[in-house]
Amino acid sequence: GCVLVVSVIEQLAQWHNSTVKAAVERLCSYTPGKYQIICHMLCCIDKKMNADVVCHSLKLCKQDPGQPLCHLYPPPKVSYVFTFSKLLIKSFMGFPSVCTFPLLANLCEKIKYIIRNKLPFEDFDGDKFSTFPTLRGYHWRGRDCNDKNTTVYPGRRPENWDAESDSNCNGIWGVDPKDGIPYEEKFCKGADSQGVVLLGDSAGAHFHIPPEWMTVTQMSAKSFANLPMAFTNELDWPQFSEVTGFLNSTIGGWTDSLYLRLRRRNRCNHRDLQNISQNGIMYLPINTDVYFSFSLARNQLLDNPAIVIYATIGNDVCNGNRDTLAHMTTPKEMLSNVVQALQYLDSRLPNGSHVILTGLVDGRFLWDNLHDRYHPLGQLNRDITYSQLYSFLDCLQVSPCSGWLTPNETLRNLTSERALQLSNVLKEIARSEKFVNFDIFYMDFPLRQTAEEWHKMGGEPWQLIEPVDGFHPSQIAAAIGTDITWQKALQEWPQVLGKENPFNDQIEAIFKDQGGH
């Protein structure tokens, strides 16, 4: 992170032919006020010292004994300046963690708690749904329509057909004055209403770092307008994601999602979505009861069934360890933990639900299509390729995937071999395991089909990958992947998608008349 920020400052100085101090001030003028503390930390950068030197001087990057010196740029010809180093360290150490202040300690603990357990920060009635967008709010789950009543939330079966109020937040309530029948009963009874739940990793959460944050030739205050929202969503964008996206994308491409398709199929499904994804998660933890009891909002007796997508598509083989193969999930571990997670789901999901297991991706696609391209940080001076970035992250032991983001072809192949083994475990589980409250299906992660479709549309393979991290599926890949998944479900598992509601037009008309949106 330090190297990225300092690199941007140095490039701003170069692009605008200014001093580094002026570049810092320029960057700070672009940044929302409460994020400007970085300006004071980086006030003393010298043009002769590249980002690696600055960040090692700050002790934000370090060289452990016996380990190589990690650097993104070639080592500078000038030596480290001791007094400069002391000045920067003193400047940096002068800003203690905000969490050490007594008035903020409890707030920090609450934020850690809700992120760890994937719960909304602002949820006054404790039903796990919120009226606030970020901090695990309605960008992640359907928006609550009454945050003072724990019996009102998206996804529940309507109470008394919602004749008097909207108990499931789908916007359909009241009684038709023509015949005295509640609208919910008239339009939604027997419509196979169901929600969508994603249990996933950072790809499911839709991790994205905007490239405009580090492309100095296009940088302006507008570039950082989304900074507060991105940080409070953990740099995830679930509101645009492949499974639970519901807003028009502002990060490139277009938004299409399983939720939007289900909502279009049956308007009664409005707001019934949950994205319970976490950056870095592998198979669901052994203590699944703890994981789900905090996170999953589904009452077996009171709520509608759900389509649950289980998609941890890479982290079981991806880690930043030097001996990466030794830290990959084994087929035996995968089998035990996934079956345990499914058994827990069987105890919580309403009868008539469905579970789709998604196989792991073949990540050789990443190196093959990106390694010799310039990263956004390297486009100004044509000096940093994805290969260099991967090597830098690997040296720091923070690579998102040492097994795939490597020049070692043998290691890339072995990583894909393990991914295939784990996918086969999921496929066998779907074939052989039976559960009381849901049926279970398997599908491969559709990366190859996505690339083929994008090629037909005139696109390039590298555009399917996030440009900053060079690892996650992009907005375009998510949208195309949605269509592929939907078409497969239509052809092979039509029962999963439920009926198409013949009353959708009437529902939209009533909803619009009532001022809904």
Side-chain angles (χ1 to χ4, degrees):
C2 175
V3 169
L4 293 180
V5 172
V6 176
S7 296
V8 168
I9 290 171
E10 292 175 336
Q11 291 186 23
L12 273 172
Q14 177 187 345
W15 181 248
H16 293 282
N17 194 25
S18 71
T19 64
V20 173
K21 182 182 178 184
V24 172
E25 291 172 351
R26 182 184 297 273
L27 180 62
C28 290
S29 73
Y30 294 160
T31 309
K34 60 185 176 182
Y35 294 90
Q36 291 187 4
I37 192 171
I38 195 74
C39 306
H40 304 288
M41 292 164 51
L42 298 171
C43 64
C44 307
I45 299 172
D46 190 293
K47 269 190 173 180
K48 296 179 181 178
M49 298 186 175
N50 65 28
D52 295 314
V53 174
V54 170
C55 295
H56 277 277
S57 298
L58 279 168
K59 300 298 183 184
L60 292 175
C61 299
K62 62 181 181 178
Q63 182 180 11
D64 291 335
Q67 298 296 326
L69 176 68
C70 299
H71 57 89
L72 185 59
Y73 297 89
K77 296 179 180 178
V78 298
S79 62
Y80 285 69
V81 180
F82 179 68
T83 54
F84 171 78
S85 182
K86 280 180 64 178
L87 176 63
L88 277 177
I89 294 168
K90 183 178 179 181
S91 173
F92 178 72
M93 296 306 291
F95 293 93
S97 167
V98 293
C99 292
T100 62
F101 295 110
L103 294 177
L104 297 178
N106 290 339
L107 178 64
C108 288
E109 284 305 310
K110 182 178 179 182
I111 291 174
K112 290 177 186 176
Y113 176 85
I114 63 103
I115 290 176
R116 182 170 64 247
N117 295 301
K118 292 152 288 296
L119 292 173
F121 178 81
E122 188 178 273
D123 176 18
F124 296 110
D125 57 12
D127 60 9
K128 302 179 183 177
F129 294 90
S130 177
T131 59
F132 189 76
T134 61
L135 286 172
R136 294 280 168 170
Y138 68 77
H139 281 172
W140 299 82
R141 303 170 190 248
R143 185 172 185 168
D144 202 341
C145 52
N146 187 343
D147 207 19
K148 297 178 181 178
N149 188 336
T150 190
T151 67
V152 175
Y153 53 84
R156 71 161 295 170
R157 295 192 185 104
E159 185 176 11
N160 297 321
W161 292 114
D162 284 356
E164 296 182 359
S165 62
D166 190 2
S167 67
N168 57 14
C169 301
N170 68 356
I172 306 168
W173 64 281
V175 175
D176 190 338
K178 297 176 183 177
D179 52 24
I181 300 175
Y183 289 121
E184 182 94 37
E185 181 179 6
K186 178 177 287 190
F187 297 142
C188 300
K189 185 178 181 179
D192 289 347
S193 298
Q194 59 185 340
V196 60
V197 179
L198 173 64
L199 309 177
D201 51 22
S202 53
H206 208 40
F207 185 86
H208 166 81
I209 300 175
E212 59 266 25
W213 289 1
M214 54 191 68
T215 308
V216 300
T217 56
Q218 304 168 6
M219 192 174 290
S220 67
K222 191 180 293 186
S223 304
F224 294 93
N226 53 18
L227 186 68
M229 181 180 67
F231 277 2
T232 49
N233 266 342
E234 304 157 54
L235 291 176
D236 296 323
W237 307 72
Q239 68 272 32
F240 307 141
S241 70
E242 181 174 347
V243 175
T244 63
F246 64 94
L247 294 177
N248 290 332
S249 173
T250 59
I251 57 173
W254 63 99
T255 301
D256 196 357
S257 71
L258 183 57
Y259 162 72
L260 285 176
R261 300 263 179 144
L262 287 170
R263 183 188 179 283
R264 197 176 306 142
R265 192 173 183 81
N266 178 10
R267 179 63 182 71
C268 302
N269 293 330
H270 182 53
R271 289 189 182 172
D272 195 356
L273 63 101
Q274 296 180 54
N275 191 319
I276 308 175
S277 297
Q278 178 180 334
N279 296 338
I281 200 169
M282 302 190 298
Y283 54 74
L284 296 182
I286 292 176
N287 58 337
T288 44
D289 57 332
V290 175
Y291 181 90
F292 282 124
S293 63
F294 278 119
S295 308
L296 181 65
R298 215 65 178 181
N299 186 299
Q300 203 163 42
L301 300 177
L302 299 179
D303 297 349
N304 286 321
I307 300 175
V308 178
I309 312 296
Y310 182 108
T312 55
I313 65 169
N315 287 334
D316 286 287
V317 296
C318 286
N319 57 74
N321 295 286
R322 293 277 161 77
D323 52 343
T324 180
L325 290 171
H327 289 81
M328 293 179 186
T329 301
T330 66
K332 183 177 179 181
E333 290 171 332
M334 193 74 165
L335 175 63
S336 173
N337 285 279
V338 172
V339 168
Q340 187 177 351
L342 293 172
Q343 289 170 344
Y344 189 81
L345 281 175
D346 202 27
S347 71
R348 294 294 300 274
L349 290 176
N351 189 263
S353 295
H354 313 279
V355 173
I356 298 174
L357 303 178
T358 302
L360 279 70
V361 69
D362 184 350
R364 288 176 292 193
F365 184 92
L366 302 167
W367 180 269
D368 292 347
N369 290 287
L370 287 180
H371 75 277
D372 57 353
R373 294 188 59 82
Y374 289 111
H375 184 269
L377 273 183
Q379 288 175 8
L380 180 64
N381 296 310
R382 304 181 70 81
D383 58 349
I384 299 175
T385 62
Y386 283 94
S387 175
Q388 290 169 266
L389 177 71
Y390 295 157
S391 296
F392 176 55
L393 297 177
D394 192 51
C395 178
L396 292 172
Q397 298 182 51
V398 296
S399 171
C401 198
S402 294
W404 276 325
L405 309 183
T406 172
N408 186 331
E409 183 179 7
T410 300
L411 184 54
R412 298 199 302 270
N413 290 337
L414 288 172
T415 303
S416 288
E417 183 179 319
R418 175 62 61 84
L420 180 60
Q421 291 170 358
L422 299 183
S423 294
N424 286 335
V425 168
L426 297 175
K427 189 181 298 185
E428 178 59 23
I429 289 173
R431 189 192 67 80
S432 61
E433 297 289 336
K434 304 297 179 186
F435 298 91
V436 174
N437 290 308
F438 57 83
D439 46 11
I440 186 168
F441 306 89
Y442 170 85
M443 70 172 294
D444 290 318
F445 187 83
L447 181 59
R448 180 181 57 79
Q449 300 99 304
T450 299
E452 291 173 354
E453 289 299 316
W454 183 230
H455 180 71
K456 292 176 186 176
M457 298 165 69
E460 297 290 338
W462 54 268
Q463 294 169 316
L464 300 175
I465 306 300
E466 277 293 320
V468 174
D469 62 60
F471 179 66
H472 292 92
S474 69
Q475 184 69 43
I476 294 170
I480 296 175
T482 294
D483 187 63
I484 293 170
T485 301
W486 183 263
Q487 295 305 326
K488 180 179 177 64
L490 277 178
Q491 294 169 12
E492 299 186 22
W493 324 314
Q495 73 276 26
V496 171
L497 304 180
K499 302 173 184 176
E500 189 155 1
N501 193 332
F503 301 109
N504 280 335
D505 290 342
Q506 291 97 312
I507 294 171
E508 290 288 357
I510 294 292
F511 191 52
K512 189 174 182 180
D513 287 344
Q514 293 178 341
H517 60 276

